[in-house]
Structures are given as structure tokens and as C-alpha cells.
Amino acid sequence: MASIERYSNRNKVKVLVVCATGVGSAMMLKNRLEKEFAGSIQILDVVSYYEITEEDLKDVDLIISSVSLSSVMFLTPVINVSVFLSNEDVEVVRQYLTEHFFLKKDKHIREAMAPEKAKKIIQQVFSEQRIIVFKETVNKADLLQRMVSLLDEGDAPGFVDQFLEQIQLRENYSSVVFGDVLAFPHPATPLSLTEQIVVGICHKPIAWNPENQNIHFVFLLSPSRAHNTCLKYISPSLVSFVGNPSLQKQLMQNPTYPELEKLFIPLLEDQ
């Protein structure tokens, strides 16, 4: 029976439940989710909005939250629901699970993204002017200062300082380091007109914080104040990049925009 249970859990979507602070309401949401999706999801933990850590997000496929996380960007998909899990919420979760998890297990059902669409998405958020290579040792503050200045709004008075303050505010929520060698800083509140990503590649590792001393890649994410139609595709591809040391090595050896485009098109196609 233990073996059957382990096999069953391996085929379930691993979920982290996030609530405001109340333990009672969190457990109520957890119980409702387990009742509705017992055969589809495995709830790994229930945490407060203010206590989310990188360790909590390890191995998580989906975050289901009763509080808005729109100001905090995670590489893990997020679904917002009410703490009572209404019928509408149930349908939203069920549709998401069907479209993003279970249908993808069948290659005959899944329709891959066309290379042309993947390339267009990449071109809308990345840019040859927004790739910076650090060959010498650089500290975190200088790196972020230089990367933020490469955004379209980087020349606007006060923009860089405001953006850096928002990055610090976001890091107060939870870590932005993933996979030990990559960091994905971004503002707690979107400040850009358009979706943009600045890529920093460090030949010599930088110390992001006392726990993370070996950062080689920094993807500075700047969501749009209006619509973020591309980042919802880019985020899963960044997850794939985090877990692929081979791709990281290729980009380190050839830190150019054409190489980045070549590496990320297949990642978007495979979503």
C-alpha cells in the first residue's frame, strides 16, 4: 500500500497553499482542495504569505493562494482563489490542471508552440542591448545598478533608484535565487511600460547573499504596468533553464543574444 501511495503521489501535481496569516482559514482551504482534487493534487504544505521561502517552493508545481500575489513574481505558476473555494474557483483550478499538466503527458494531445511564435516572444522581452557580460569580479549592488540602467526607462530621473528599492522590497518577501547559480531579481510593483528582461552573465561568481555565493546568471525581470502576455511564457522556460546545467554552460561559453535566442526557442516550444 505504501508503494501504491508513492506511485500515486508521483503522478499528482504538487501544490503549495498560501494564505494570509490565519491557520484556520488556511486549513479550511486545504481541506476543500483535497476534497475536490484528491486524485489530482498533492498538497506539500500550507504557509503564510509572509513566510514563503525558496525551500517552500522546492519541488512545487503550482501555488494556490487565497491572497493576491500579483506584486510578487514566482517562477512557479500561481492561481488565486477565495478561502472558501467557490464553484468558480474549482473550475478555474480544474481547467488549469487539465490544460497545463495532464494534457501535456500525452504527446499526441499536446500541441507544441511554433518556432516563429517562440522567437517573436523572445524578441519582445530580450534584446541584444540588454545583455551584459561581467568578466571581472563585481558586487551585487554595482551589478544591479548597471543592469537596471539598461531598461528602456533607465535614463528617466529617479527610475534606477526606485527600481532598486522595489527589488529590495521584493527580496524581503522571499529569495529570488534559484538553482544555486541563478538569480531573478524583479520589482515588487511593475514600473516599466513594456515587458523587459536584462541578462547578466558573470564569468566570476558573485555573492548574492550569505547563503548564495556562487551566482553566475542574473535575469533581471521588469514586468509591464499594463499587460504581461510574454512573461507568462518566458517564466516556465526560465524554470527549464534553471534545471539544465548544459544550457547554462553553453550560454556562459557564448554569452550573446543569438545564442540566447537559440537556447530559449526550444524551451518555449516544449511548454
Side-chain angles (χ1 to χ4, degrees):
M1 290 182 66
S3 177
I4 292 173
E5 180 67 17
R6 286 194 298 270
Y7 177 80
S8 175
N9 286 337
R10 280 202 301 269
N11 289 277
K12 291 180 180 179
V13 176
K14 295 178 175 59
V15 172
L16 178 69
V17 176
V18 178
C19 287
T21 54
V23 175
S25 62
M27 294 309 297
M28 181 168 61
L29 176 57
K30 176 178 182 289
N31 292 337
R32 287 279 287 124
L33 287 167
E34 288 180 333
K35 180 179 178 182
E36 292 291 341
F37 304 100
S40 305
I41 68 173
Q42 176 190 3
I43 297 179
L44 300 183
D45 200 359
V46 178
V47 299
S48 163
Y49 167 64
Y50 300 101
E51 299 173 346
I52 303 174
T53 65
E54 183 183 358
E55 186 64 26
D56 292 324
L57 298 176
K58 186 178 180 181
D59 299 326
V60 170
D61 299 316
L62 176 67
I63 297 172
I64 297 180
S65 176
S66 64
V67 293
S68 174
L69 300 178
S70 58
S71 64
V72 185
M73 182 174 293
F74 297 103
L75 297 186
T76 306
V78 179
I79 296 179
N80 285 110
V81 299
S82 71
V83 71
F84 301 105
L85 198 68
S86 66
N87 291 334
E88 291 78 9
D89 293 331
V90 170
E91 287 305 313
V92 169
V93 174
R94 180 173 291 117
Q95 181 177 354
Y96 187 90
L97 293 175
T98 301
E99 292 179 355
H100 292 78
F101 289 99
F102 303 125
L103 286 182
K104 289 187 176 183
K105 292 182 180 179
D106 190 332
K107 294 182 180 179
H108 298 290
I109 296 177
R110 186 186 71 180
E111 183 177 351
M113 180 185 293
E116 295 78 12
K117 180 178 179 180
K119 184 174 183 178
K120 184 177 181 181
I121 290 172
I122 290 170
Q123 291 174 340
Q124 288 182 310
V125 296
F126 293 103
S127 165
E128 191 166 357
Q129 288 71 41
R130 290 198 293 269
I131 294 182
I132 181 170
V133 180
F134 299 92
K135 295 183 178 180
E136 303 300 327
T137 302
V138 62
N139 62 48
K140 176 184 175 182
D142 290 341
L143 175 141
L144 287 175
Q145 179 91 20
R146 292 173 63 181
M147 292 184 69
V148 172
S149 67
L150 294 179
L151 294 170
D152 291 347
E153 297 84 356
D155 293 334
F159 177 84
V160 172
D161 289 339
Q162 184 182 8
F163 201 99
L164 292 173
E165 290 175 3
Q166 285 293 315
I167 288 177
Q168 182 59 54
L169 180 60
R170 166 60 184 87
E171 284 205 78
N172 290 338
Y173 295 136
S174 63
S175 174
V176 297
V177 173
F178 298 86
D180 297 327
V181 298
L182 296 98
F184 299 91
H186 57 276
T189 301
L191 298 175
S192 297
L193 181 61
T194 61
E195 304 166 90
Q196 303 169 57
I197 297 179
V198 181
V199 182
I201 302 169
C202 307
H203 285 289
K204 296 184 178 180
I206 69 168
W208 197 263
N209 53 44
E211 294 79 27
N212 304 106
Q213 301 279 329
N214 198 37
I215 301 300
H216 282 279
F217 298 93
V218 179
F219 287 79
L220 177 72
L221 312 179
S222 183
S224 166
R225 298 193 303 267
H227 302 289
N228 291 285
T229 56
C230 294
L231 283 179
K232 68 178 182 180
Y233 294 109
I234 293 293
S235 294
S237 69
L238 292 176
V239 174
S240 300
F241 185 80
V242 167
N244 197 320
S246 175
L247 296 184
Q248 298 168 22
K249 182 178 179 180
Q250 291 181 58
L251 187 57
M252 180 65 71
Q253 292 175 341
N254 185 17
T256 63
Y257 177 81
E259 182 70 11
L260 183 144
E261 187 177 89
K262 183 182 76 175
L263 296 177
F264 271 81
I265 286 178
L267 296 181
L268 266 71
E269 291 178 310
D270 288 341
Q271 292 182 28

